[in-house]
Amino acid sequence: MSSPSEASAPSSPASGGSAFAERASEKVLARYSALPKKGKPQGREVTVLAAFLFSSPSRELEVVSLGTGTKCIGRSLRSLRGDVVNDSHAEIVARRALMRYLYAEIQRLKMSYGNDGNDVRDCKSPLEPIIEGHDERKYRMRVGWQLHLYISQLPCGVASPPSPLPQKIAAMIEGNEVEVPSMVKDTEGRVAEDILRKHGTDLPIIASVQRKPGRGDTTLSVSCSDKIARWNIVGVQGSLLSYFLEPVYLSSVIVGQSPDNPEDILVQNKLQHALYERISCFPLEQLSPFRLNKPLFLVGPIPPVEFQHCENAAATLTCGYSLCWNKSGLHEVILGTTGRRQGTSAKGARYSSTESSLCKRRLLEIFLSLKHEGAANEPCNETAYLEYKEGAQSYRLASKALKDTPPFINWQLKPLNHEAFTISS
């Protein structure tokens, strides 16, 4: 297997990684502070903050999308029309806001680049058109530009698990929640209890995919740790954007230091394990242009108190809203427990005005508007969201290969009818 492509450091961890992490954190917090109060935690409430930043070859650093939130909806509230946001955790909200920013950048570049073939490049954009080879009419990240992810705390899931007690490890293995080496199994493949007792929590277990918890109503959303790990294979752009954009990978992941755990190395080790080591056995053959990406893992300063969660989850009062923003003009607030815009009433829940710009239906709209530009003579037939996803063949094959690889084989697949909706194009 070919070696992973490691991101070139914005500054090496030894000589300046902490300085870069501090600078990125300051940029994100300043951008958040500049936004109105609506949707932010009130009183004792706390939330999680995530943001994507681009750095240029001249080391300029800019926040391009931002999200907050800790909620996701249960299975019973999911819509067959693609008009709700199922997962409103900060990392996912920020990533969808990033996707809308990338769509807007491609649309802007298409206008500035023109249809006459003139090479009018925008030096301030992180993207550029491909003007040679079989990928002509697509876009890619410009050389020297890098994408960074900031999170105010460790992402949910494998990166931030409660340490399992020794007596619970056997049950976790039995429930396929973790994988363990053969050294802890007997000749019939069962867990050897005596070895478990001997090694306890020192066992080299590799956690499998985890679902986000729901209050009585099971969710279908996998953890942020699992989703970010997946981005290190297929990129952050998603399947529909891959029609227009080559894979976009993270150069660094910056996590705010916990006031309860000041050890940077422990945070970095958890990130390394959850977001990279679990995918290091991914089969790379014949999956170009996708690759195994290894970002830098950095620790930023302790975030403000509204982003500090108590170790005891019962003592934490989380904000129910998710705030989303991007550089191209997006700014809205989503109620995380309904997946719709703030202020939506029960009676008005089916109106399009209550839909978030981040729901699949709205993302399909912007995809179709871009797809049909320059294709005026092509018939505009109604095609299901799922069919467009399946049509991104290289992306689909890379994603499937990941989900066929331990420890991702228990990835929760969505019911097909949840993505079978269409819109008039």
Side-chain angles (χ1 to χ4, degrees), residues 40-47 305-307 317-321:
K40 293 182 177 181
Q42 304 296 316
R44 295 188 300 109
E45 290 181 335
V46 296
T47 191
V305 66
E306 63 191 289
F307 307 115
L317 180 63
T318 54
C319 179
Y321 293 116

Side-chain angles (χ1 to χ4, degrees), residues 204-424:
I205 60 176
I206 302 177
S208 296
V209 172
Q210 298 179 16
R211 278 189 300 189
K212 291 175 178 173
R215 293 191 175 182
D217 189 7
T218 304
T219 77
L220 296 183
S221 299
V222 302
S223 75
C224 290
S225 291
D226 297 317
K227 291 184 177 182
I228 298 171
R230 182 169 173 258
W231 300 344
N232 281 325
I233 295 293
V234 298
V236 301
Q237 76 291 329
S239 58
L240 297 191
L241 256 176
S242 67
Y243 277 77
F244 315 107
L245 184 62
E246 287 192 345
V248 176
Y249 292 103
L250 294 169
S251 290
S252 71
V253 178
I254 304 142
V255 170
Q257 188 182 74
S258 168
D260 302 309
N261 178 19
E263 305 251 356
D264 287 5
I265 189 66
L266 294 180
V267 174
Q268 290 170 322
N269 286 345
K270 286 181 178 181
L271 291 170
Q272 171 96 358
H273 167 69
L275 309 184
Y276 175 71
E277 289 175 358
R278 293 193 305 147
I279 59 172
S280 59
C281 59
F282 178 76
L284 294 175
E285 296 78 8
Q286 299 179 342
L287 288 177
S288 176
F290 301 96
R291 59 178 171 83
L292 176 60
N293 178 62
K294 184 180 181 182
L296 292 171
F297 299 112
L298 305 173
V299 181
I302 296 174
V305 66
E306 63 191 289
F307 307 115
Q308 296 178 20
H309 293 234
C310 298
E311 288 292 313
N312 179 7
T316 300
L317 180 63
T318 54
C319 179
Y321 293 116
S322 285
L323 186 156
C324 61
W325 171 92
N326 73 15
K327 185 188 171 184
S328 56
L330 172 69
H331 182 209
E332 65 181 37
V333 178
I334 305 164
L335 179 57
T337 52
T338 65
R340 292 185 178 274
R341 287 188 178 189
Q342 182 186 27
T344 300
S345 65
K347 289 184 178 179
R350 296 177 73 95
Y351 291 113
S352 60
S353 60
T354 71
E355 295 171 7
S356 165
S357 300
L358 305 187
C359 71
K360 292 175 181 176
R361 191 174 196 87
R362 292 297 182 92
L363 291 175
L364 178 59
E365 285 178 352
I366 193 171
F367 165 79
L368 290 174
S369 70
L370 193 58
K371 187 174 186 297
H372 294 319
E373 283 182 16
N377 296 325
E378 293 182 12
C380 295
N381 301 318
E382 279 199 357
T383 303
Y385 176 81
L386 179 62
E387 291 181 69
Y388 282 120
K389 284 187 68 175
E390 294 291 317
Q393 188 171 5
S394 296
Y395 183 96
R396 178 174 57 83
L397 292 175
S399 182
K400 182 179 184 301
L402 173 69
K403 294 171 185 176
D404 288 341
T405 305
F408 295 93
I409 53 176
N410 66 328
W411 191 286
Q412 183 73 40
L413 299 179
K414 304 178 187 74
L416 294 181
N417 64 333
H418 285 206
E419 296 189 332
F421 63 90
T422 63
I423 63 173
S424 297

Side-chain angles (χ1 to χ4, degrees), residues 20-34 49 51-54 59-66 150 325:
F20 178 83
E22 184 172 350
R23 184 171 162 231
S25 302
E26 289 174 354
K27 288 276 187 179
V28 172
L29 292 170
R31 179 66 265 176
Y32 173 82
S33 297
L49 171 64
F52 286 90
L53 309 91
F54 274 114
R59 300 299 178 100
E60 293 179 12
L61 191 61
E62 183 177 28
V63 180
V64 294
S65 74
L66 177 150
Y150 169 86
W325 171 92

Side-chain angles (χ1 to χ4, degrees), residues 25-188:
S25 302
E26 289 174 354
K27 288 276 187 179
V28 172
L29 292 170
R31 179 66 265 176
Y32 173 82
S33 297
L35 296 175
K37 191 176 182 180
K38 185 178 179 181
K40 293 182 177 181
Q42 304 296 316
R44 295 188 300 109
E45 290 181 335
V46 296
T47 191
V48 175
L49 171 64
F52 286 90
L53 309 91
F54 274 114
S55 60
S56 68
S58 60
R59 300 299 178 100
E60 293 179 12
L61 191 61
E62 183 177 28
V63 180
V64 294
S65 74
L66 177 150
T68 66
T70 63
K71 308 294 183 183
C72 58
I73 64 173
R75 180 169 187 156
S76 66
L77 293 177
R78 293 174 74 99
S79 171
L80 302 183
R81 299 183 300 277
D83 55 353
V84 300
V85 177
N86 299 315
D87 187 344
S88 294
H89 279 221
E91 298 93 321
I92 311 310
V93 170
R95 184 252 184 168
R96 290 202 166 199
L98 171 70
M99 290 164 64
R100 289 201 71 99
Y101 167 76
L102 294 173
Y103 273 119
E105 275 299 282
I106 292 173
Q107 288 177 321
R108 190 174 67 81
L109 287 174
K110 285 186 71 150
M111 293 180 66
S112 62
Y113 186 69
N115 297 318
D116 55 4
N118 291 326
D119 186 4
V120 183
R121 304 212 176 195
D122 186 341
C123 295
K124 292 185 178 180
S125 175
L127 306 182
E128 67 177 0
I130 299 173
I131 56 175
E132 74 284 337
H134 66 281
D135 277 337
E136 191 174 346
R137 294 180 64 183
K138 290 187 73 171
Y139 294 77
R140 64 188 172 199
M141 281 268 288
R142 295 175 63 209
V143 174
W145 286 72
Q146 295 181 332
L147 180 66
H148 313 277
L149 169 62
Y150 169 86
I151 318 170
S152 58
Q153 66 174 39
L154 285 166
C156 67
V158 178
S160 54
S163 298
L165 298 173
Q167 62 267 30
K168 291 185 178 180
I169 295 180
M172 293 172 70
I173 297 171
E174 188 70 24
N176 291 322
E177 293 180 48
V178 297
E179 289 188 13
V180 296
S182 58
M183 62 174 278
V184 302
K185 297 181 180 180
D186 60 24
T187 55
E188 297 182 6

